[in-house]
Amino acid sequence: MNQYIVKAYAKINLGLDVIKKLPNGYHQVKMVMQAIDLWDELTLEKAADGIVLTTDAGELPTDENNLIYKAAKLMRDTYSLKEGVKIHLQKNIPIAAGMAGGSTDAAAAMMGINRLFSLGIPHRELMRISATIGADVPFCILGGTALAEGIGEQLTPLPPVPPCHVLVAKPDISVSTKYVYEHLDSAGIQRHPDIDGMITAIREGSLQGVLSRMENVLESVTVPAYPIIESIKENMLELGAAASLMSGSGPTVFGIFTEGAAAEYAFRRLKAEGLAKQVFLTAPLNISEELPRGSSGIS
Ligand code: ATP
């Protein structure tokens, strides 16, 4: 196989709790992660030597500061690959948005190299080594719905959430994950999201039980700094969302709709109103739907 195309799916956090700050400066989290049907596309080709990255997203680095480059280097070093790889990234996922855009590109690069070079490395092994690139990368390899603990890398797969529609809106601001965690008073969190209750609701197939527990403690930092996030959340609820929440460290907001027609109406209205620069109507993506991750190889 000389060329391989792989989709890198974005995630949202249906629930996000921070348990405590760890002595090493990281935060211990407890989150319900959900892959969604919004993706970047990576095209991988074998090359004589080295790693060459190109992208249609001019603002992104193409050197070792790009997580794709780091992932390719990790694969070459770990599995002693002699050949090089050329990767082109077509970016659709909003950048610095709380949707794990960089992490999912790294995950896709690792899975793509695994296939391109017919390495046959099991996904669980890729997940294990990928945590050195970023705590969200193992989940991006796993996909579907999962509980993430530790610093986000300890995963428990969960059953799919009941079918629903996910409206995603990113305002024209970028939020640094580092800034948000640094400004979070984790010891002072008064109300912790009911993540255990959400897991029970997922296991019972109760969408209502999931929606009523959607909370993200990072909103306490990002929303006061960027009030537009609250405006978009309120707008989504007015437009008929059953629940709305900021994803990750923000600023992306998502709304869950039970009816497709209502979701489409809200999608058009939100785009027309201009509060958010990027708006997508998408849906949860289950593991079975992802395999073989919408990929194709060209020999
Ligand atoms: P998370 O939800 O994991 O916090 P995020 O969605 O907030 O992630 P990213 O889109 O992953 O944030 O980008 C954060 C920063 O990482 C960007 O400012 C960018 O410079 C850098 N970066 C490196 N590689 C990539 C990539 N392939 N795609 C996007 N950003 C990347």
Side-chain angles (χ1 to χ4, degrees):
M1 192 189 293
N2 291 320
Q3 193 190 66
Y4 192 70
I5 298 172
V6 60
K7 286 180 176 176
Y9 293 103
K11 63 88 182 158
I12 53 173
N13 299 93
L14 293 171
L16 194 161
D17 193 13
V18 175
I19 310 296
K20 63 175 184 221
K21 190 169 180 179
L22 300 168
N24 61 8
Y26 284 93
H27 287 81
Q28 185 184 335
V29 294
K30 189 166 178 179
M31 326 185 270
V32 176
M33 316 282 280
Q34 175 64 58
I36 57 169
D37 200 11
L38 166 67
W39 65 87
D40 292 342
E41 190 175 279
L42 277 71
T43 304
L44 297 96
E45 275 174 54
K46 287 182 184 171
D49 192 24
I51 300 164
V52 178
L53 177 62
T54 55
T55 176
D56 62 354
E59 66 271 46
L60 285 182
T62 52
D63 58 10
E64 62 282 356
N65 291 310
N66 195 301
L67 295 186
I68 294 177
Y69 193 103
K70 286 198 173 114
K73 184 165 178 345
L74 179 68
M75 291 297 284
R76 289 188 78 212
D77 293 350
T78 309
Y79 302 109
S80 307
L81 302 182
K82 301 270 180 297
E83 284 174 278
V85 63
K86 264 169 57 177
I87 304 177
H88 181 73
L89 165 67
Q90 186 192 313
K91 194 82 196 164
N92 305 312
I93 302 170
I95 296 167
M99 306 196 80
S103 303
T104 195
D105 289 348
M110 292 180 72
M111 290 188 285
I113 289 172
N114 192 29
R115 292 292 292 268
L116 184 68
F117 292 94
S118 305
L119 301 177
I121 298 150
H123 276 188
R124 64 176 177 281
E125 164 77 4
L126 293 181
M127 284 167 65
R128 192 180 60 76
I129 66 166
S130 72
T132 58
I133 300 175
D136 282 350
V137 185
F139 169 75
C140 295
I141 294 175
L142 177 68
T145 312
L147 168 70
E149 295 174 286
I151 59 164
E153 87 295 10
Q154 292 170 17
L155 299 170
T156 308
L158 295 171
V161 294
C164 58
H165 307 270
V166 182
L167 183 59
V168 170
K170 186 199 169 252
D172 193 14
I173 49 174
S174 293
V175 173
S176 137
T177 304
K178 193 162 171 276
Y179 168 89
V180 175
Y181 275 99
E182 276 175 6
H183 287 78
L184 178 74
D185 174 16
S186 51
I189 297 172
Q190 301 291 333
R191 236 179 79 92
H192 286 274
D194 181 12
I195 301 289
D196 290 335
M198 180 178 282
I199 292 167
T200 303
I202 292 172
R203 293 197 192 285
E204 289 173 350
S206 164
L207 185 60
Q208 194 44 48
V210 173
L211 301 181
S212 64
R213 293 178 176 86
M214 273 176 32
E215 277 185 81
N216 177 350
V217 295
L218 301 182
E219 284 188 346
S220 66
V221 178
T222 319
V223 170
Y226 302 101
I228 190 163
I229 294 170
E230 190 60 39
S231 307
I232 297 175
K233 283 181 67 180
E234 282 168 10
N235 204 351
M236 285 208 188
L237 294 173
E238 280 160 19
L239 290 170
S244 75
L245 194 70
M246 183 181 84
S247 184
S249 50
T252 300
V253 172
F254 64 92
I256 305 283
F257 291 75
T258 52
E259 302 297 330
E264 291 213 7
Y265 172 75
F267 171 64
R268 286 195 300 273
R269 283 284 304 271
L270 209 60
K271 265 174 66 158
E273 280 167 21
L275 266 183
K277 192 179 176 212
Q278 289 164 288
V279 185
F280 306 90
L281 182 53
T282 174
L285 192 71
N286 302 324
I287 286 180
S288 56
E289 294 167 335
E290 285 173 49
L291 293 173
R293 297 191 66 96
S295 325
S296 60
I298 300 164
S299 296

